[in-house]
Amino acid sequence: MAGSRLRILEEEVRRCTRCPLHATRTHAVPGEGPEEAGVMVVGEAPGRMEDKLGRPFVGPAGKLLDSLLELAGLSRSEVYITNVVKCRPPGNRDPREEEIEACLPYLVEQISLIRPKLVIAVGRHAGRTIFRLASLRWPGLAKARGRAWRGRIGGVEVSIAVTYHPAAALYNPGLRGELEKDFSDVIRRIVGEALSRGGGRGRIGGGLDRWLSPDPGGPGEGAGGDVDSQGE
């Protein structure tokens, strides 16, 4: 039933007129991936290629995301990928608060239906929004990176990881190394920890097997910590 409701929700997003972005979009982009994905990636908003094709992360940033997921032991086929805002803001500008507010019920219901064990928020807007939904104090992107956070969204207990948006590394190649480090180190470890907890609907596929051998380094510094730094 949850899977059926998720597909119905995706159709509702495609027909949505809750904010003015519907008047300028080519296609709404609800998201895509398995109905019982163990990992959800949440970005900011669709770009030009995403708007054209109606699919998330299909442009150059999407290709980079695919390679980053592999560093974490994941494949795109086992991850549900979506955005905070489901329609492209004109000129790829930042989404406005009223646009984020209009889309929030869709994101909350997606998390409630899929019940992921881990939400990876890429970019400042995605991170701040996920923290807000989880009732966590947003410390800013720089301080949110590099550790696991935990909260409840839509009635689902989730681990949360935050990193840069892949598009940022395309404009600033110096960030690519930081992104690769986040996915190959911290996010990889959080994925393994989330999988080992078990329970819930969310499933993480066999691509993680190679990361589940004992790690003498433990789960990583800051795993499972509470927010204790200043807000944005």
Side-chain angles (χ1 to χ4, degrees), residues 169-200:
L170 299 179
Y171 290 103
N172 182 359
L175 291 179
R176 180 158 184 159
E178 296 297 312
L179 261 172
E180 291 175 345
K181 179 180 179 182
D182 281 353
F183 275 86
S184 63
D185 183 7
V186 176
I187 292 174
R188 185 187 80 179
R189 286 196 287 235
I190 298 171
V191 169
E193 182 189 56
L195 179 61
S196 69
R197 289 203 307 270

Side-chain angles (χ1 to χ4, degrees), residues 19 21 27-31 41-51 55-59 61-62 81-96 99-100 103 107 122-127 129 165-167:
C19 81
L21 290 180
H27 294 101
V29 184
V41 174
V42 179
E44 175 180 297
R48 182 180 63 85
M49 288 299 297
E50 289 76 16
D51 175 69
R55 297 180 57 209
F57 282 88
V58 292
I81 303 176
T82 189
N83 288 291
V84 171
V85 172
K86 312 301 188 187
C87 297
R88 181 194 184 200
N92 286 354
R93 62 163 170 76
D94 287 348
R96 295 171 178 159
E99 295 160 356
I100 292 174
C103 270
L107 179 59
V122 294
R124 174 171 55 91
H125 290 287
T129 300
H165 195 288

